Amino acid sequence: MDVFGVMIGLALLIGIAMVALAVVGTVKAARAVGATIGKHEANARRAVETATLKAKTYTKIGPPAQIATVRLGLRTSLDGTRQVLEGGLEQDGQLGESLALLTRLDSHAAELDGELRMLEREPDTARIAAKLPELRERAERITHAAETMRWAAQDRMQRFADDELSRLSQECESEAGALRHWDVEGSGSGSAGAGGGAGTGGSAGVSARAGLTDGKGRPSAEELLGLADPLAKLAQRLRKPSTGSSAG
């Protein structure tokens, strides 16, 4: 019974652990989905606001159009800088510090955008005329800071790309030289062949090739049939003078 109870207890513990893991996984998945949905909603809301500001710059006149222009320029500059920095962060980790500065700058821009929206609803045109230059000056400072970081990041990426292209070009030239190694070997073997041709090795090679082509070194039919030696002995016997004829 004790062993049976222990087994039941272990099974319960394993079941509880699996349920807990499932709950934790479900919560994490729900949070991830919620974060993704929230990010898409924020992007969609920002896109709608940007389109509305563009429309106001064309449809409104006077202070409302001026405020919309300031807000649009502020938003466009920060969005462009963020896209450049986030796009190059994977290749250059140092851009992370620039992104941190941009986040701080974005908080100031959000405060300024809120003041500009309040100014849009201000019915007193005199107050709008008094406050707008100050807010525009702050917007220009924020825009200039964002543009400075964006231009510096672009120049940095271009410099890295040029350096990488230079190194790659050198590697390609080295590889091309390695692939053309036969040029060096061919010139060396050609000079060696010319020197050998003046010596005995060269002449032997030429004579061997000539014998195979012009018939000078080609074996005779007697040699091929194995009759060369007997025929030579017979010729020698026929050339010997006869003793009888000389005595007569």
Side-chain angles (χ1 to χ4, degrees):
M1 294 295 293
D2 294 337
V3 176
F4 186 70
V6 171
M7 293 178 64
I8 293 176
L10 290 175
L12 290 175
L13 289 175
I14 293 173
I16 293 172
M18 293 179 64
V19 171
L21 290 175
V23 171
V24 171
T26 304
V27 171
K28 288 184 177 180
R31 289 180 178 177
V33 171
T36 303
I37 294 175
K39 183 177 180 180
H40 286 306
E41 288 181 354
N43 292 335
R45 190 183 307 110
R46 192 172 183 84
V48 171
E49 291 178 354
T50 302
T52 303
L53 289 175
K54 288 181 180 180
K56 286 182 179 180
T57 57
Y58 293 106
T59 58
K60 300 290 183 179
I61 58 174
Q66 296 176 5
I67 295 174
T69 302
V70 174
R71 292 183 61 195
L72 181 61
L74 188 65
R75 186 183 299 260
T76 302
S77 179
L78 290 172
D79 288 345
T81 303
R82 184 172 296 278
Q83 290 177 1
V84 171
L85 296 180
E86 290 180 349
L89 183 61
E90 185 176 355
Q91 289 79 19
D92 188 0
Q94 191 171 351
L95 295 180
E97 299 179 2
S98 301
L99 272 173
L101 290 176
L102 183 65
T103 301
R104 295 170 55 188
L105 192 65
D106 200 1
S107 63
H108 288 279
E111 294 178 0
L112 178 59
D113 188 72
E115 296 180 16
L116 288 169
R117 282 183 295 178
M118 291 177 60
L119 195 62
E120 280 181 335
R121 296 188 292 269
E122 177 61 43
D124 190 356
T125 56
R127 180 169 177 79
I128 295 176
K131 293 287 295 182
L132 186 57
E134 176 188 354
L135 299 179
R136 183 186 289 115
E137 191 270 336
R138 286 171 56 189
E140 290 176 355
R141 290 171 58 187
I142 295 174
T143 300
H144 177 71
E147 290 175 347
T148 300
M149 284 196 298
R150 182 173 71 250
W151 296 336
Q154 290 173 346
D155 294 341
R156 181 182 177 86
M157 294 177 189
Q158 183 178 1
R159 178 62 181 271
F160 284 172
D162 292 340
D163 294 342
E164 179 65 22
L165 181 59
S166 299
R167 288 192 296 269
L168 183 59
S169 299
Q170 293 177 359
E171 292 177 1
C172 291
E173 291 178 0
S174 300
E175 181 65 18
L179 293 174
R180 294 194 182 95
H181 66 281
W182 69 82
D183 290 344
V184 179
E185 293 181 357
S187 61
S189 61
S191 61
T200 58
S203 61
V206 172
S207 63
R209 288 192 297 271
L212 291 175
T213 55
D214 59 6
K216 293 180 180 180
R218 186 177 301 167
S220 63
E222 294 82 359
E223 293 176 349
L224 293 175
L225 295 175
L227 300 177
D229 291 340
L231 289 176
K233 292 179 180 180
L234 179 61
Q236 289 179 359
R237 291 176 182 178
L238 292 176
R239 292 191 192 99
K240 289 182 178 180
S242 167
T243 56
S245 61
S246 60

